[in-house]
Amino acid sequence: MNTVKTTRRLTKDASGLTEAGEILRAGGLLAFPTETVYGLGADATNGMAVAGIYKAKGRPSFNPLIVHVSSLAEAQALARFNDEALVLAKAFWPGPLTLVAPRLPECPVSELALAGLDSIAIRIPASPDARAVLVAAGRPIAAPSANRSGRVSPTTAEHVLEDLDGLIDGIVIGEQAEIGVESTIVACLDWKTVMLRPGGVSRAAIEQVLGHRLDDAPEAQDAGDAPRAPGMLLSHYAPRAMVRLNATDLRPGEAGLLFGPSGLTGSEYAAVTLNLSPTGDVVEAAAHLFDALRTLDASGAPSIAVAPIPESGLGEAINDRLRRAAAPRE
Ligand code: TXA
Ligand code: MG
């Protein structure tokens, strides 16, 4: 069992941020808002602190973590950026893009955070609260989403506390995450630039900056450089309810997750329905996705029926998360 801690609720004013920095430098666990989802941060250079993340999340320890920094110079002290990595960093940082690049020999990040890989995943978040936490900490911060492993990612401070109150040292209370799905992960390795996870920056936006198509990582793991995002377990983001995708109608007692102006037939018999975006806007839908899944799950309905959502723009990341929520559980 995890030891019960008092989880400090910190405001994002100067005194709260000072305490946030102290918690992180002392090897503690701190949840903080970012524009994608809330992160669970620890000093990336402190193996014991990083171990605490895996323990609090109940996460399989083979998942490497994203390391968060506040400037490109700090990122370049950790990894070797090739031309395409630099182009992407300049176009999308700060923002919801994570770049995977070969780590430098002098990279001080703990082996545990890297899960023994030769590459490192780095992100500069855009959220001013997240940047303030990183500056207060003054060192690279490893941070997965601040939920128990396998649960829906948190987009509000309340979501984080539902999962982790008493298991972490503190939380910086901020606004609801603006984007609502995790960062897009792109690996810039010497032989190729590939997408490992769809997320808050659309594939089309990345392809436009690169000037060429962006392939997905090959299914087979290459020996040595593990180009796939190893954390992409199929059954992930799992609500307790069953999830039924591309529903064209609602069955009696089901919860309904709708999209766009046209409802689903059978809505009058549903336990509860929520519309991710009545106007059919995928950006708005991404922002509401995880909160809607939590709310529908809390209704106690045995199954959540989800209306079809287009694949365009952030629709790709939304559908990726929904497919994982619907996958058979291990
Ligand atoms: O938006 C986000 O990215 C959020 C916020 C908190 O920044 N973080 C997040 O972290 O989603 P997490 O731990 O839930 O997802 C990290 C992903 C995993 O799929 C992991 O396998 C992958 O990044 N990853 C980390 N290092 C990698 C590496 N060297 N090579 C390939 N994939 C890597
Ligand atoms: Mg996660």
Side-chain angles (χ1 to χ4, degrees):
M1 235 348 255
N2 286 298
T3 7
V4 176
K5 302 179 178 197
T6 304
T7 300
R8 297 272 299 147
R9 274 75 165 157
L10 303 175
T11 48
K12 43 187 195 168
D13 56 13
S15 75
L17 290 168
T18 302
E19 193 175 337
E22 284 164 4
I23 288 174
L24 288 167
R25 280 195 304 277
L29 297 180
L30 179 88
F32 62 95
T34 88
E35 73 278 19
T36 57
V37 299
Y38 273 66
L40 176 57
D43 177 354
T45 65
N46 176 340
M48 283 298 288
V50 172
I53 293 180
Y54 295 111
K55 185 176 174 201
K57 282 186 65 97
R59 168 182 253 205
S61 56
F62 46 76
N63 273 3
L65 303 174
I66 296 173
V67 174
H68 298 67
V69 295
S70 61
S71 71
L72 182 57
E74 288 169 58
Q76 288 184 294
L78 306 177
R80 187 162 44 78
F81 282 60
N82 65 17
D83 291 348
E84 293 212 322
L86 275 177
V87 164
L88 292 176
K90 286 182 179 147
F92 296 108
W93 278 354
L97 176 72
T98 293
L99 293 173
V100 172
R103 65 158 145 157
L104 292 173
E106 63 272 27
C107 171
V109 170
S110 77
E111 286 295 330
L112 187 59
L114 300 171
L117 298 176
D118 298 330
S119 56
I120 178 170
I122 307 176
R123 177 162 108 81
I124 303 181
S127 145
D129 299 339
R131 305 283 293 285
V133 167
L134 295 171
V135 169
R139 56 193 70 181
I141 297 300
S145 49
N147 52 283
R148 295 275 299 167
S149 188
R151 296 256 292 138
V152 173
S153 295
T155 53
T156 66
E158 292 74 47
H159 294 166
V160 175
L161 291 168
E162 277 169 26
D163 275 20
L164 297 174
D165 196 9
L167 299 176
I168 62 177
D169 298 286
I171 175 170
V172 174
I173 308 277
E175 313 302 317
Q176 173 157 4
E178 195 183 322
I179 293 182
V181 289
E182 295 87 344
S183 59
T184 302
I185 306 181
V186 172
C188 297
L189 304 171
D190 288 334
W191 47 280
K192 201 163 195 189
T193 300
V194 289
M195 180 144 116
L196 302 183
R197 175 175 81 179
V201 178
S202 73
R203 184 190 293 271
I206 295 169
E207 290 179 341
Q208 198 187 0
V209 165
L210 289 178
H212 62 76
R213 294 283 303 275
L214 184 63
D215 288 334
D216 290 329
E219 280 302 313
Q221 285 216 345
D222 266 37
D225 223 20
R228 284 184 33 100
M232 299 299 283
L233 300 174
L234 185 58
S235 166
H236 200 78
Y237 307 99
R240 274 173 287 262
M242 298 297 301
V243 177
R244 193 163 70 80
L245 298 182
N246 295 314
T248 50
D249 63 343
L250 281 170
R251 299 174 188 160
E254 272 191 324
L257 189 59
L258 311 182
F259 177 85
S262 55
L264 292 178
T265 55
S267 283
E268 61 273 35
Y269 308 113
V272 50
T273 63
L274 285 176
N275 196 321
L276 287 175
S277 170
T279 60
D281 174 4
V282 285
V283 174
E284 182 187 23
H288 296 153
L289 175 68
F290 289 132
D291 190 46
L293 282 174
R294 280 186 186 248
T295 304
L296 295 180
D297 205 22
S299 76
S303 144
I304 301 173
V306 185
I309 293 167
E311 275 287 323
S312 56
L314 294 201
E316 184 179 3
I318 296 172
N319 284 313
D320 171 77
R321 304 309 186 268
L322 285 170
R323 275 192 293 274
R324 287 170 206 287
R329 315 286 155 79
E330 300 99 58

